Amino acid sequence: MSTIDPDLRALQDVRDMVARAKRACEAIHHYDQRQTDALCAAMAKAGAAAAYDLARLAVEETGIGRVHYKVLKNLVGSEGTWASIQNEKTVGIISRDDKTGVVEVATASGVIAGIVPTTNPTSTAMFKSIISVKGRNAIVISPHPRARRCIAESAEVLRRAIERAGGPPDLVLSLPNPTIESTGALMKHKDIALILATGGTGLVNAAYSSGKPAYGVGPGNVPVYIDRSADIPWAAQAITASQSFDNATLCCSEQGLILDAPIANQLVAELVKRGAHLCNEDETRKLAKLCNVRGHMNADVVGLDPWRIAEMAGFAVAKTTTILLAWQGGIGKEWPLSIEILCPVLSLHKVDGWKEGCQACMDMLAFDGLGHTLGIHAKDERVLDAFFLEKPANRIIVNGPCSQGAVGYSTNLVPSMSLGCGPQAGNITSDNITARHLINVKRAAFVRRDWAQIELRDHERAAALTKDGMPRGSSVRGDPALSSSATAPSSSAMTADASSNWRGNPSVNDKSQAATTSDSATPWKSKVAPALKSAPPASGFASGSGVAIATLPSFHAPSTIQPAPRTAAPAAKPSSPYVGGTLSSAEIQTLMSHAGSGCPLGPCKGCPHHEVTTGACKA
């Protein structure tokens, strides 16, 4: 028996799993908010219960990070995510504004494609799955090939939880044999509604070019400015905690420290007290050669312990080392350690004052970090305000650890494992991605209470400018289509060929009236009379059309149309400006004369270019 080609098998997996996810999504289409939340609560509880096992599996499979911190990430991705969205309305009517008359209704997007990286595999898989199901969506995960087993196990934990809660387990699926081709096929599949792409720049660009709506992220070359007004011991503690958090594998972890000259040596000393190693010139050179490969971070050092990175570079440090520190003389291609490196390696930069620090932070953000995250340690409110206003970063972490802060763990930002970087980085949003980004909100709008006054006022302004009076169809006083007292032309003024571009409705009169009305007695017989002969079906539907139409009122067509006598008692009319149930001969003539001939100026009664009897325009 021949072996199936791996690429073909992977593509078939995509088709099969998207089809299964679509059926699962349809199965919960009728769920209300309570039923939907029950599934998510079960998923979060199960994810937290499996946090340690999944963390250990992730480190064993990928070799990235530390089990203790992977457990913390898994708790954030499950319990933390659910705690932030559990009270959010994502199903049915989510708001009513009696003042504006707008009703908002949430609907599901459909099947989500979730691209999960190797750096934070299990926590990201749980996070994306929970926010997807919260909106009654299904998700098909495309795992990084180096993390497919731990991601598949994460998905299985959630699937079993959904099933126990009474939902379809196929709301969460993970591709078993991911390849570059299958990931591309998943993103372009016709039944994929939206893409959640977390990964490198190439992957995010592929998601945006797939032709599907996509939420992507940008690289995070995060600068941290430490001002002379900062609490230096606390700043050192926060930086050390952030770099130790799963060995700085989050893209929002600090990458370079911008040190105000008066406190630079003190800050470095405080970091060394907490286990940091300050590299000498030779060690800095070796470290740069290892970590920067042709202008990009070396994937082999991502998430490793500092002692292992030093060993790979060719020098030795204690196994208790927390961070490798290296001075750089600037930012850019000439300084290899000023790039994003997702491991406990920090470049050091000395500046004189916050204005120089401001420029250095701008330079680092512009060097592959625009729109992502910035850190600042300062007590001076003027310095803080300047950084808030000027920096092109969408998350500014103040006096705290950047890794835990940007993802909403140590701050009150929305907990998220997918951080948008805004237009600066080519992303559609600058938000921390969450459940509300995965639902569609439609709006029902009632007419404004003051609409009649607004409409009349604006029509009067426009009429004053055009000097043509009110336009046909405006339904306000002066609208020629509503005038029923106009004198209709006598029958002698109408020729046998007289016609209008109004062709009437498919069927108007009942059969008995059509039978008693002769063609010769109807002035508009050559164009309209044939359409008046058939009667509407008794059911009220147009024959053979399947479309419901209102049954029109019947009327007798007079043998000749004469102007209504001025002395005759007026027919009873409703108080509204709309035509009543029975049309008079004058009303019929008015409808014909003002039905329009396609002229962009109207046409309306009295237009010098319009010939009423023939419908011709002489303009």
Side-chain angles (χ1 to χ4, degrees):
M1 180 178 176
S2 60
T3 303
I4 299 176
D5 182 86
D7 289 332
L8 293 178
R9 181 179 61 183
L11 294 175
Q12 188 61 48
D13 288 340
V14 169
R15 298 188 185 101
D16 293 343
M17 291 203 165
V18 172
R20 289 167 57 187
K22 184 179 179 181
R23 288 193 294 270
C25 193
E26 292 170 348
I28 64 167
H29 176 74
H30 65 283
Y31 274 30
D32 59 20
Q33 190 71 69
R34 181 188 59 78
Q35 292 171 301
T36 304
D37 289 349
L39 300 183
C40 295
M43 294 167 68
K45 183 178 180 180
Y52 168 70
D53 291 331
L54 294 175
R56 180 173 51 81
L57 182 58
V59 174
E60 288 176 357
E61 184 179 14
T62 65
I64 293 174
R66 302 162 67 184
V67 173
H68 179 91
Y69 291 101
K70 283 278 195 279
V71 172
L72 297 183
K73 284 183 177 179
N74 288 340
L75 293 176
V76 173
S78 55
E79 286 183 341
T81 298
W82 175 236
S84 70
I85 63 174
Q86 61 181 341
N87 296 322
E88 190 169 344
K89 293 181 178 180
T90 56
V91 176
I93 295 176
I94 59 177
S95 73
R96 291 180 186 270
D97 192 326
D98 292 334
K99 184 177 181 180
T100 62
V102 174
V103 179
E104 293 186 326
V105 182
T107 60
S109 293
V111 181
I112 309 296
I115 317 301
V116 177
T118 186
T119 47
N120 311 294
T122 55
S123 54
T124 303
M126 289 192 288
F127 157 74
K128 289 187 175 182
S129 298
I130 291 172
I131 65 172
S132 294
V133 175
K134 174 68 173 177
R136 293 181 299 174
N137 304 301
I139 184 170
V140 177
I141 297 171
S142 179
H144 191 286
R146 283 179 54 192
R148 65 179 179 179
R149 183 185 168 200
C150 63
I151 292 173
E153 289 296 333
S154 301
E156 189 60 31
V157 166
L158 302 180
R159 285 169 52 80
R160 290 196 297 265
I162 293 170
E163 192 170 26
R164 287 194 300 270
D170 284 351
L171 288 172
V172 178
L173 291 163
S174 180
L175 297 178
N177 304 293
T179 64
I180 294 175
E181 290 77 13
S182 68
T183 300
L186 175 65
M187 292 191 293
K188 294 179 180 179
H189 194 285
K190 63 182 180 64
D191 289 328
I192 289 296
L194 192 148
I195 302 169
L196 281 178
T198 305
T201 302
L203 172 66
V204 173
N205 289 339
Y208 279 126
S209 62
S210 68
K212 297 298 180 75
Y215 288 112
V217 299
N221 199 15
V222 179
V224 180
Y225 173 65
I226 297 92
D227 185 63
R228 62 190 66 185
S229 67
D231 182 336
I232 303 305
W234 168 248
Q237 181 178 332
I239 292 167
T240 303
S242 181
Q243 290 292 293
S244 299
F245 192 76
D246 205 28
N247 282 343
T249 50
L250 286 170
C251 54
C252 53
S253 63
E254 299 88 344
Q255 299 299 317
L257 304 183
I258 315 299
L259 308 178
D260 199 0
I263 55 85
N265 292 335
Q266 182 186 356
L267 189 280
V268 172
E270 290 289 343
L271 290 172
V272 171
K273 283 183 184 179
R274 290 163 175 79
H277 173 79
L278 181 61
C279 298
N280 58 35
E281 288 187 12
D282 182 57
E283 292 170 341
T284 298
R285 215 169 21 249
K286 292 178 178 178
L287 193 62
K289 185 177 180 180
L290 171 69
C291 294
N292 188 319
V293 179
R294 294 184 293 277
H296 302 282
M297 91 172 102
N298 182 356
D300 292 337
V301 304
V302 172
L304 297 184
D305 291 334
W307 70 269
R308 291 184 60 194
I309 297 171
E311 186 177 74
M312 292 171 65
F315 62 96
V317 299
K319 289 192 176 182
T320 56
T321 300
T322 53
I323 314 171
L324 299 177
L325 304 173
W327 285 104
Q328 297 284 280
I331 296 167
K333 294 181 180 179
E334 299 79 12
W335 304 98
L337 294 177
S338 65
I339 66 170
E340 178 190 38
I341 306 171
L342 297 179
C343 64
V345 172
L346 289 177
S347 59
L348 302 179
H349 310 265
K350 186 182 291 187
V351 296
D352 186 11
W354 70 267
K355 290 186 178 179
E356 281 191 19
C358 179
Q359 186 58 53
C361 288
M362 297 276 279
D363 293 342
M364 182 165 280
L365 287 169
F367 193 45
D368 286 338
L370 282 175
H372 207 293
T373 303
L374 165 78
I376 180 171
H377 289 269
K379 292 180 181 178
D380 190 330
E381 293 289 341
R382 295 172 301 170
V383 174
L384 292 175
D385 288 346
F387 272 73
F388 298 165
L389 293 170
E390 298 295 332
K391 301 302 167 291
N394 292 307
R395 277 157 294 275
I396 300 177
I397 309 305
V398 184
N399 297 329
C402 288
S403 292
Q404 298 94 318
V407 298
Y409 188 21
S410 65
T411 66
N412 285 317
L413 294 178
V414 174
S416 178
M417 302 300 292
S418 189
L419 311 179
C421 298
Q424 303 104 314
N427 295 171
I428 193 62
T429 181
S430 60
D431 293 342
N432 282 15
I433 305 301
T434 187
R436 66 182 175 85
H437 296 91
L438 305 186
I439 59 173
N440 177 61
V441 178
K442 58 184 179 182
R443 293 167 179 85
F446 290 84
V447 175
R448 297 173 53 156
R449 293 186 178 92
D450 57 350
W451 169 239
Q453 292 84 358
I454 292 173
E455 183 182 34
L456 179 60
R457 180 196 65 198
D458 290 346
H459 273 307
E460 289 174 344
R461 292 176 64 188
L465 291 171
T466 63
K467 301 194 173 42
D468 288 334
M470 292 300 175
R472 169 175 48 82
S474 61
S475 297
V476 297
R477 179 174 296 183
D479 178 355
L482 297 181
S483 174
S484 60
S485 59
T487 302
S490 63
S491 59
S492 60
M494 303 180 68
T495 65
D497 294 329
S499 64
S500 166
N501 67 337
W502 179 67
R503 297 295 179 261
N505 296 303
S507 57
V508 178
N509 293 342
D510 58 44
K511 293 182 179 179
S512 61
Q513 290 173 332
T516 58
T517 305
S518 64
D519 290 351
S520 61
T522 307
W524 55 92
K525 64 176 182 177
S526 62
K527 299 294 182 181
V528 181
L532 300 180
K533 291 182 179 180
S534 60
S539 65
F541 291 86
S543 178
S545 67
V547 180
I549 61 171
T551 303
L552 298 177
S554 60
F555 61 89
H556 291 279
S559 58
T560 57
I561 297 180
Q562 297 293 341
R566 296 183 181 275
T567 58
K573 295 184 179 295
S575 59
S576 73
Y578 301 103
V579 177
T582 303
L583 302 178
S584 68
S585 59
E587 287 172 332
I588 296 169
Q589 182 61 30
T590 299
L591 287 174
M592 292 176 59
S593 62
H594 297 296
S597 62
C599 176
L601 300 178
C604 58
K605 180 175 175 62
C607 175
H609 305 300
H610 183 237
E611 189 174 272
V612 174
T613 57
T614 64
C617 182
K618 299 179 180 179

